[in-house]
Amino acid sequence: MTPEVDLTDRERAVVNAFQGGFPVVDRPFEPAAAAVRERGVDITATELLETIRDLDDRGVLSRFGPLVNAQEIGGTATLVAMHAPADRFDEIVERVNDHREVAHNYEREHPHLNVWFVVSVAEESRVEEVLAAIEDETGQETYNLPKQHEFRVEAKFYVDGPLSPADAGDPTDAGIDLTELGPDVSPRDESTLSPAERDLVLEIQDGLPLTDTPYADVAAAIEQNLEWVLETTKRFEREGKIRRIGVVPNHYALGYTENGMTVWNVPDELVPEVGPEIAGLPFVTHCYERPRHEGVWPYNFFAMTHGRSEAESQRRIEQVRETMAEFWDVTDEDWDSLFSTQILKKTGIRLDERAAANTRTE
């Protein structure tokens, strides 16, 4: 299978190498390039930086830097489904998207629930307010599907070539992990942010500067010293406030156009067993337990898969079904696949208000 974009072997190696595990040190491209060379790809620190910068400019990457875990920063986000009749589809979508709290919005293939969006707010009570406003403006009922249990969020998209899963010999063992480099820090038991930590989160949420010294540039931007930025970034990574640090691919640019949200009516008592098994499938990027809505939505388990062709996507969905069938007698009524047919809005989850509301006074 070949990605949609035309990538050199070096570019493929970079995409595969650092979708996480990028070092938190003063000049991170130097140890990163050395690690790539150790794995047979000739590249200097300057060439690594230039390659990432070029991939970013061409839209192959969404960004480079920390992937912030919004859930751990403050506030909340929830998935919402609703119906938009064909004759009012554009009008309803426009009204939904006009709400600044709506981050992502997709049209998905389903006979009734065809609009799926994410609401992100600083205060959990605001979810009901936003949904009430949307219902009032559109005349359509919304179905709130908050995450009840997260089994996996690991949206990594590899390409064929050096340092790919096939090259590594293990589908779970692609890439390079340099997280051991950097300050020796310990997690803290703090659910709120200091003002300086809030500033750091807001500065890095869209990525790091593509320079030789990205962390020093961040430090200068928020008027903190470099050592504090390195230590806090590393600690956030260990605490789960940052999921990982590295390149964030644009999966559509890499040819992963088949975006299949599989949904399952898993017996409640089996969810704790099923969840880790499905999350362990290397091609499942997101895996959650969510509530049912009686008479409308019978599914309580979501597993997101991505493929570079319809055939690849169907094979992966069948692997999910086969794994499910190891736990109970799965029938056709027990599951469905909702493919996205249109991106209606994608602004990303903005953390400004959520971080501010969760910042302590010092």
Side-chain angles (χ1 to χ4, degrees), residues 151 266-277 289:
F151 292 101
V266 178
D268 290 336
E269 67 277 9
L270 293 180
V271 170
E273 297 179 66
V274 169
E277 289 297 319
E289 179 186 10

Side-chain angles (χ1 to χ4, degrees), residues 116 145-151 262-272 274-275 287-293 297-303 324 328 333-336:
W116 292 77
L145 297 160
K147 178 170 52 180
Q148 295 179 318
H149 189 99
E150 176 184 300
F151 292 101
T262 69
V263 292
W264 307 81
N265 184 13
V266 178
D268 290 336
E269 67 277 9
L270 293 180
V271 170
V274 169
C287 188
Y288 307 108
E289 179 186 10
R290 298 186 186 274
R292 303 178 180 89
H293 283 270
W297 186 253
Y299 310 109
N300 63 335
F301 193 93
F302 289 59
M324 289 285 187
W328 92 99
E333 288 72 36
D334 288 329
W335 71 286
D336 199 357

Side-chain angles (χ1 to χ4, degrees), residues 190-319:
E190 294 177 345
S191 58
T192 58
L193 302 172
S194 71
E197 290 170 342
R198 174 205 58 210
D199 292 346
L200 175 62
V201 168
L202 299 184
E203 184 66 26
I204 65 176
Q205 67 175 331
D206 290 327
L208 293 173
L210 283 168
T211 66
D212 292 321
T213 56
Y215 300 107
D217 293 341
V218 168
I222 63 174
E223 299 181 348
Q224 295 290 336
N225 64 64
L226 171 60
E227 195 59 33
W228 182 88
V229 167
L230 293 173
E231 290 176 355
T232 307
T233 301
K234 174 58 71 175
R235 177 167 56 81
F236 276 8
E237 192 174 29
R238 294 197 173 171
E239 292 172 346
K241 291 182 176 67
I242 291 175
R243 293 189 184 274
R244 61 183 182 272
I245 301 173
V247 299
V248 181
N250 173 356
H251 61 278
Y252 290 102
L254 296 183
Y256 287 89
T257 56
E258 297 296 315
N259 173 353
M261 185 174 75
T262 69
V263 292
W264 307 81
N265 184 13
V266 178
D268 290 336
E269 67 277 9
L270 293 180
V271 170
E273 297 179 66
V274 169
E277 289 297 319
I278 300 301
L281 297 172
F283 51 81
V284 171
T285 60
H286 299 74
C287 188
Y288 307 108
E289 179 186 10
R290 298 186 186 274
R292 303 178 180 89
H293 283 270
E294 187 174 356
V296 178
W297 186 253
Y299 310 109
N300 63 335
F301 193 93
F302 289 59
M304 183 69 72
T305 66
H306 297 263
R308 289 171 287 182
S309 67
E310 184 176 348
E312 180 180 61
S313 180
Q314 290 301 330
R315 284 196 302 272
R316 291 178 169 183
I317 290 171
E318 179 59 21
Q319 284 182 258

